[in-house]
Amino acid sequence: MNNAPAQSVTPAFVYAAVSLALLLPVLFWPLPLWHESGLNPALEIRRVWLISGIVLLLCAVTADSLLAYRTHGLSPLFSAFWILLSSIGVSLALRWEQGIFILAACFAIHALRAATGIWSGRAGWWQWTAWVRDTIAALSLFVWSGIISHAG
């Protein structure tokens, strides 16, 4: 019996699959409200939606920090800085009523982190996926939050 993983499953595929699995709730959480109650702002879905975004952000920042350390040899302090910065953003997002905007800004900043590697021409294999994931997350949080805020 061979317990080795299949040759066709690459780290890039696993990274993309996990990123997508964590991104989907951030993208589609407000959709059921669109149909069932017309995006009634009195319904409190923001907290659960915010938490799904927080899980995505913290997992993404941690994974990307470890990958950057491993492949680019960046200082562990640099990796710790990104994790600390995102943790502070999460803390602010949980305490403020408009925390979803802070979370979206955190995703935008993290997307810029991946973009710098892409623009410099020394992108790791995960950076395109990270940039797309974080850009989509930031845009969806900004757009859905705006739609929900102005509905009703």
Side-chain angles (χ1 to χ4, degrees), residues 30-141:
L31 277 179
L33 292 178
W34 185 280
H35 182 280
E36 292 175 11
S37 57
L39 285 175
N40 183 349
L43 294 175
E44 188 52 47
I45 64 134
R46 289 188 177 130
R47 207 54 151 171
V48 177
W49 186 41
L50 179 68
I51 290 170
S52 69
I54 286 168
V55 168
L56 171 60
L57 179 68
L58 291 177
C59 288
V61 169
T62 302
D64 294 351
S65 295
L66 293 172
L67 288 168
Y69 168 73
R70 176 104 172 141
T71 59
H72 296 305
L74 295 176
S75 166
L77 295 176
F78 184 74
S79 296
F81 165 77
W82 276 103
I83 294 169
L84 178 63
L85 183 67
S86 63
S87 297
I88 291 169
V90 163
S91 176
L92 292 173
L94 285 170
R95 287 187 273 149
W96 289 352
E97 186 175 334
Q98 296 301 325
I100 209 76
F101 287 109
I102 293 168
L103 189 63
C106 288
F107 274 111
I109 291 167
H110 196 244
L112 287 174
R113 176 188 181 188
T116 57
I118 295 168
W119 291 331
S120 70
R122 56 177 188 85
W125 56 263
W126 76 93
Q127 285 181 298
W128 276 103
T129 303
W131 179 76
V132 169
R133 175 200 60 218
D134 296 340
T135 301
I136 290 172
L139 289 174
S140 68
L141 289 169

